[in-house]
Amino acid sequence: MDPYLLSDLQLTKAAYAAALTVNDCLAGKGIDDPVPYVDIDAAYGSDVTVRKWFDLKIAQTHGYHEPSQQRPAGLEAWDDFQRQASTPSEDEAFLACRDDPATVSPGYSNTLMNFTSGLAAAAYSGASKDPAVLESAAAWNACMADVGIEDLPLTPIEMPSESVRQRLGLGASIDGPITEPTGEEIDLATTDAECRDSSGFTKAFYDALWTRESSMLEDNEAALVDAGAEIESITSEIDDIIAESRAR
């Protein structure tokens, strides 16, 4: 399902293109607040994912800091621009410009995103209840029993647990500051990943997910082909808007 799911890179570029499109309109209303130059593609580099995943390599490198949920340092100027305070008159001007047909910027519709992400979510939910997954999850739980987690979940899908998140200071917002995992976090995540592998959970869950997504691809082939074409077209339009702004 990966080709039909949107990455944070794509969503960030969509928001950036929309800001560029509105900016000229705002300038015409006397609001001089140019969108900062940010090379979004370079900021993300090769670290672009469309879903959360956890394995031994990720655990040893990032702990529970999921790579897909970390904002690249190169986006600081853009993130600061989005968070800056505005006056009521500026808000009014922004809304007027945003709703002006001349400033409409291409974006991924909620219908499109809900369709593809909904299929992936259904496959994920089904895989989590697969008998082989539940059996391996029990073996994982036994492997983790001596680690000392007071609210150790029955399945690794629910890790890190709330007590672990609090102890390690793990936030839930992708817009928060980037932090580095501590040695304690790396050690715990590594043990977690090793237990997932030794219990057979990693393979069981991957296989269950693959089976369900493969079935969904077959059952929804025509609709997914259309969705993929729509995603590709919108992504191209967004890239063109950003490229045109660079050429000015």
Side-chain angles (χ1 to χ4, degrees):
M1 292 289 294
D2 281 15
Y4 309 103
L5 301 176
L6 294 172
S7 67
D8 188 50
L9 167 66
Q10 289 170 298
L11 296 176
T12 297
K13 290 175 74 173
Y16 189 78
L20 290 171
T21 304
V22 167
N23 203 244
D24 288 341
C25 175
L26 290 174
K29 295 180 180 295
I31 299 175
D32 184 21
D33 188 21
V35 178
Y37 174 86
V38 176
D39 190 336
I40 300 175
D41 287 310
Y44 278 91
S46 60
D47 190 18
V48 180
T49 58
V50 297
R51 69 175 81 209
K52 296 189 293 183
W53 191 250
F54 182 82
D55 57 24
L56 184 58
K57 182 178 179 181
I58 289 175
Q60 293 173 331
T61 305
H62 301 282
Y64 289 113
H65 282 62
E66 298 156 357
S68 62
Q69 293 189 325
Q70 287 188 329
R71 295 288 282 178
L75 298 181
E76 289 177 356
W78 166 240
D79 290 339
D80 289 342
F81 176 82
Q82 289 188 294
R83 287 193 292 261
Q84 65 185 351
S86 57
T87 65
S89 60
E90 289 173 339
D91 290 338
E92 183 179 351
F94 171 80
L95 292 175
C97 286
R98 185 198 63 184
D99 296 335
D100 187 336
T103 65
V104 172
S105 176
Y108 308 100
S109 69
N110 288 333
T111 300
L112 173 64
M113 292 190 290
N114 290 340
F115 170 60
T116 58
S117 64
L119 288 177
Y124 190 95
S125 177
S128 68
K129 300 178 180 67
D130 184 270
V133 172
L134 294 175
E135 182 179 351
S136 60
W140 168 85
N141 183 275
C143 179
M144 292 284 288
D146 295 331
V147 175
I149 299 175
E150 60 189 54
D151 55 347
L152 180 67
L154 296 176
T155 170
I157 292 175
E158 298 175 7
M159 279 291 286
S161 66
E162 182 58 29
S163 70
V164 171
R165 297 186 68 85
Q166 290 184 6
R167 187 169 83 239
L168 299 177
L170 297 169
S173 172
I174 64 172
D175 297 322
I178 295 174
T179 59
E180 295 297 326
T182 63
E184 179 188 6
E185 179 181 341
I186 293 290
D187 289 344
L188 178 57
T190 297
T191 298
D192 181 357
E194 290 173 342
C195 282
R196 296 188 195 202
D197 289 347
S198 64
S199 66
F201 178 86
T202 300
K203 184 179 187 306
F205 186 73
Y206 185 89
D207 289 346
L209 191 60
W210 180 277
T211 298
R212 284 161 177 76
E213 289 196 9
S214 295
S215 177
M216 287 181 171
L217 284 172
E218 294 178 3
D219 295 342
N220 300 275
E221 181 178 7
L224 284 169
V225 168
D226 289 342
E230 183 178 351
I231 291 172
E232 184 177 351
S233 175
I234 295 171
T235 298
S236 179
E237 289 183 60
I238 289 171
D239 285 339
D240 287 344
I241 289 173
I242 296 174
E244 288 173 7
S245 75
R246 301 286 185 258
R248 294 178 182 176

